[in-house]
Amino acid sequence: MKGVFIIADGLGGRPSDLAGKTCLEAARTPNLDELARRGAIGLIDPIRPGVRPGSDTAHLSLLGYDPYEVYTGRGVYECLGIGIDVEPGDVCFRANFATVEETPDGLKLLDRRAGRIESGQEALAQALTQIELSDGVKFAFKASTQHRGALRLRGEGLTRHVSENDPHKTGVVIPDAQPLSDDPGARRTAAAVNEFTRKSYEVLKDHPVNRERIAAGKPPANIVLLRGAADLPHLEPIAKVYKVRGAVIAGAALYRGVALACGMTRIDAPGATGGVDTDLVSKAKTAIEALNELDYVFIHVKGTDNKGHDQDAAGKMRFIERIDAELIGTLMEKLDWSETHLAFTGDHTTPIDYGDHTAEPVPILYVGPNVRTDATTEFGERAAGRGGLGRWSGRALPILFNYNNWAPKFGS
Amino acid sequence: MKGVFIIADGLGGRPSDLAGKTCLEAARTPNLDELARRGAIGLIDPIRPGVRPGSDTAHLSLLGYDPYEVYTGRGVYECLGIGIDVEPGDVCFRANFATVEETPDGLKLLDRRAGRIESGQEALAQALTQIELSDGVKFAFKASTQHRGALRLRGEGLTRHVSENDPHKTGVVIPDAQPLSDDPGARRTAAAVNEFTRKSYEVLKDHPVNRERIAAGKPPANIVLLRGAADLPHLEPIAKVYKVRGAVIAGAALYRGVALACGMTRIDAPGATGGVDTDLVSKAKTAIEALNELDYVFIHVKGTDNKGHDQDAAGKMRFIERIDAELIGTLMEKLDWSETHLAFTGDHTTPIDYGDHTAEPVPILYVGPNVRTDATTEFGERAAGRGGLGRWSGRALPILFNYNNWAPKFGS
């Protein structure tokens, strides 16, 4: 048996999205509707009813973990997702290139995203390798998309109990990261964070990339701010629990990182971007090919959430239509449906009017030979409220695995 | 946005209530039916499926707390609800005036409720203030409705781990409260309980109120029995978690107490009694006025549960019809529905044939601009089983808050 697990990020919507319909309800989705007809649908609370999910916590929960037990912060998944290896005891951060200017009071933040810098980040990251930190602390830094990156600190006794030095608003002086516990390790970690950020400014302020940016009237990427401190939680690997091997196909680093932390391998689909311009046919084809070797694939698409955050209802609806036509359409054509179970859902609701995550449950669809079909003939939020699967919280992937007879028995 | 959260206590019923229908199903409720049409309904297990709720535990769960984590006993909510301030470390009790007579074996219980005494309780409570307890223990006592009251003990090392001295049956000698742990504090607390009860008899037995009662052939309220020992749990205040301010409007002390412990303020509606004679229009009007200043109100009505305990099906049905016409009707007319979400539910089922709480899920209704409507057009137990919200456990208030975009994000 094979498994295909698909999360469309921020899939859920509200009636206010498009004149009484959610984007998903308004979208033309003949393939998802056909899968709903062949399978069964229901409502899933990504974490728990009324809990407004982050992307990381929602994914942990949908993949079968209790985020209240295992969540330590986002930085660790960002590091893993962009290819920084992480060991127990390391402390990881989300990083962003930002623009500051020197003032008598300190470094004042002018742009949190350095003008959403689009090129030269690799050269800036390369320059940062010359930084040396005190106290025996080692680091690894990588740039990812635009202004984003991630930092791993490694050293004795470091902890994630430190505050961030990203003030999240412009016009203020960059604060020092502070220890959040009395542990001497928290003081050492805060000192390393502050030292890295201070030295990043020294290294970047006159870097050729930034001299060019300034000459072109663009804000220089002259500092690295750090947030989301996290260490590696113990996540019992999927391969150990279920005895199956799978891979993640995701354009955005965070989701790759969560999947890697759960023990999946990473496969990069050509043209997958983590945005609305992603190549969805390529993702489907990459998944189908991967299933020749592996038991399951987890495909993540991000554009739905991006368009929700952008408050672009038409764009979100169109991207859902592309998911239906390109991703689902290709999979429907190429999968061997006699021996495959597929699940399709979102990790939370991102309504257009609010432009951020909300806690409503999201529709979920299971299809394959072992699914007890229901009477529903369309896929959407309100259809899912009438679906035969009812409503429950989290564990979407373990439920898919159960249809494939991969679930371990609890008790005897 | 504004929020209105309504609990009709003991709302749920069974088919045996009224010839195959529950009291709610049999009642004429055009306003609740109209709200079901405009919104969405479902079934909520107040605590967990199959868990038979107390009123206090059900309310904690519906308000967003896990009673298995935070519940310490009822006494603390009774104290708070009748206006006794409670600090961490205090031990609180439900109290009742009772009737005892002296026998060679001790004080024998004749009436647990002192004939449901209706007047003179304030004078009796005043007399009790002359009691002095050993060992530096201080107390506060207040009478509430009929024979009921609450006691707070304050002193070093007191604990809630003591048994009650209310034997719950007449004809037996009042037992001494016993320590329930080896902690010396438990011994001290039990000693204080026994001293207070013994001295209450000394103070009350010849009180003028009781001489009059005896002369009138009524049982004297000549002792105070204590049960429900509880200390103050840590409940993260709603204002801190959700950054919104709200108030409780409840005639019965317990519900005010739970809401106060969660950080709501208390507003008293003129004519609200905590019984079936309560003024429901006054509660609605008080809520609407309160919403000028506050973000949300929690309205509790108790009569449904009282009539369930009385095993009075017609009375419960009529009270539900009054809720519909007077409370819901007034709210429907006066609320600004473009910016308000409302939730209506019960805290448990109180079927007529059983006359006590049972564990069936109760119907719940959400209405407001962000609610994904369903196809239901009536409000009731079986209609809710077909509702678009499905079934889940607890957290009714956080779900209401999510519709108002007040929920904090867990993760990032």
Side-chain angles (χ1 to χ4, degrees), chain B residues 98 156 168 192 281 295 339 376 401:
Chain B
E156 206 176 324
H168 290 269
V281 173
D295 301 300
E339 59 161 36
T376 50
F401 284 0

Side-chain angles (χ1 to χ4, degrees), chain A residues 83-399:
Chain A
I84 299 175
D85 83 292
V86 182
E87 295 177 2
D90 292 347
V91 181
C92 301
F93 299 83
R94 303 172 71 178
N96 48 309
F97 288 110
T99 308
V100 292
E101 69 174 2
E102 290 185 44
T103 74
D105 300 326
L107 297 171
K108 189 170 84 175
L109 185 61
L110 298 182
D111 186 332
R112 278 191 72 231
R113 300 182 182 88
R116 290 191 181 271
I117 177 172
E118 289 287 1
S119 66
Q121 306 98 312
E122 292 301 327
L124 297 174
Q126 180 57 36
L128 291 170
T129 59
Q130 70 191 265
I131 292 177
E132 292 197 8
L133 298 177
S134 323
D135 205 18
V137 177
K138 303 291 178 197
F139 74 91
F141 176 89
K142 278 199 179 186
S144 61
T145 54
Q146 294 185 326
H147 52 285
R148 301 177 192 93
L151 174 79
R152 182 204 70 208
L153 297 180
R154 181 171 287 171
E156 206 175 327
L158 300 185
T159 91
R160 64 186 163 90
H161 302 293
V162 295
S163 66
E164 58 187 301
N165 62 16
D166 179 345
H168 290 268
K169 58 182 176 189
T170 54
V172 301
V173 167
I174 303 297
D176 277 347
Q178 302 292 335
L180 298 177
S181 85
D182 291 338
D183 181 350
R187 275 204 310 281
R188 294 185 59 211
T189 312
V193 166
N194 295 325
E195 186 180 15
F196 181 85
T197 289
R198 195 173 61 246
K199 289 184 171 171
S200 75
Y201 177 70
E202 297 305 322
V203 165
L204 299 178
K205 64 178 178 180
D206 298 318
H207 191 280
V209 167
N210 282 327
R211 285 206 299 268
E212 270 179 47
R213 290 183 66 81
I214 291 164
K218 294 177 182 169
N222 59 9
I223 198 164
V224 175
L225 302 180
L226 301 171
R227 66 191 201 279
D231 53 13
L232 191 67
H234 175 72
L235 301 175
E236 198 71 7
I238 288 174
K240 188 169 167 197
V241 178
Y242 302 95
K243 321 290 182 204
V244 290
R245 291 183 320 128
V248 57
I249 300 171
L254 173 66
Y255 311 95
R256 288 197 301 268
V258 173
L260 289 166
C262 302
M264 296 184 206
T265 55
R266 164 183 173 173
I267 298 178
D268 291 338
T273 63
V276 288
D277 60 344
T278 196
D279 187 336
L280 292 164
V281 173
S282 165
K283 280 180 147 172
K285 288 182 172 170
T286 303
I288 289 157
E289 198 178 311
L291 287 174
N292 290 329
E293 299 292 323
L294 298 170
D295 301 299
Y296 71 96
V297 289
F298 160 38
I299 304 171
H300 180 271
V301 292
K302 180 70 179 162
T304 24
D305 189 50
N306 294 354
K307 285 295 163 187
H309 284 278
D310 293 347
Q311 305 194 281
D312 174 0
K316 184 171 175 184
M317 185 185 76
R318 278 196 306 269
F319 190 73
I320 292 170
E321 292 182 342
R322 279 193 54 216
I323 291 173
D324 187 82
E326 298 167 26
L327 177 64
I328 303 296
T330 306
L331 291 171
M332 280 177 75
E333 193 188 316
K334 310 247 181 189
L335 286 173
D336 177 353
W337 287 99
S338 69
E339 59 161 36
T340 302
H341 288 95
L342 177 147
F344 181 84
T345 189
D347 65 335
H348 51 73
T349 292
T350 308
I352 301 302
D353 68 339
Y354 185 51
D356 203 345
H357 308 184
T358 61
E360 287 95 330
V362 289
I364 186 164
L365 149 68
Y366 288 94
V367 61
N370 291 334
V371 175
R372 300 173 192 148
T373 56
D374 62 15
T376 50
T377 58
E378 58 181 317
F379 186 68
E381 286 86 345
R382 277 170 278 203
R386 301 186 297 273
L389 298 179
R391 175 175 176 175
W392 75 93
S393 298
R395 299 184 54 79
L397 185 68
I399 291 168

Side-chain angles (χ1 to χ4, degrees), chain B residues 22-33:
Chain B
T22 70
C23 292
L24 174 59
E25 289 170 341
R28 202 180 152 271
T29 56
N31 289 319
L32 286 167
D33 294 345

Side-chain angles (χ1 to χ4, degrees), chain B residues 10-163:
Chain B
L11 178 69
R14 283 178 172 169
S16 53
D17 286 356
L18 278 163
K21 289 189 172 183
T22 70
C23 292
L24 174 59
E25 289 170 341
R28 202 180 152 271
T29 56
N31 289 319
L32 286 167
D33 294 345
E34 172 62 19
L35 292 186
R37 197 172 293 121
R38 293 188 205 165
I41 67 177
L43 285 172
I44 186 164
D45 290 284
I47 298 175
R48 289 183 196 170
V51 172
R52 192 177 152 230
S55 291
D56 40 18
T57 48
H59 274 75
L60 286 167
S61 181
L62 293 169
L63 294 176
Y65 302 86
D66 181 349
Y68 288 99
E69 277 180 24
V70 303
Y71 185 62
T72 58
R74 177 155 169 166
V76 66
Y77 306 112
E78 294 285 352
C79 276
L80 287 168
I82 61 176
I84 299 174
D85 82 292
V86 182
E87 295 177 3
D90 293 346
V91 181
C92 301
F93 298 84
R94 303 173 72 182
N96 48 309
F97 288 112
T99 308
V100 292
E101 68 174 3
E102 291 185 43
T103 74
D105 300 327
L107 296 170
K108 190 170 82 176
L109 184 62
L110 300 182
D111 186 331
R112 279 190 71 231
R113 300 181 183 88
R116 289 192 182 269
I117 179 171
E118 289 287 0
S119 66
Q121 305 98 314
E122 293 300 325
L124 298 174
Q126 179 57 36
L128 292 170
T129 59
Q130 70 191 267
I131 292 176
E132 293 197 6
L133 298 176
S134 322
D135 205 19
V137 178
K138 303 290 177 196
F139 74 91
F141 176 89
K142 277 199 180 186
S144 60
T145 54
Q146 294 186 326
H147 53 285
R148 303 179 191 92
L151 175 79
R152 182 204 70 208
L153 296 180
R154 181 172 288 172
E156 206 176 324
L158 300 185
T159 91
R160 66 185 161 90
H161 301 294
V162 294
S163 65

Side-chain angles (χ1 to χ4, degrees), chain A residues 49 54-55 57 359 361 382 391, chain B residues 372-373 389 395 402 405 407 410 412:
Chain A
S55 292
T57 47
R382 277 170 278 203
R391 175 175 176 175
Chain B
R372 300 169 189 154
T373 55
L389 298 178
R395 300 183 54 79
N402 171 67
N405 299 332
F410 169 47
S412 84

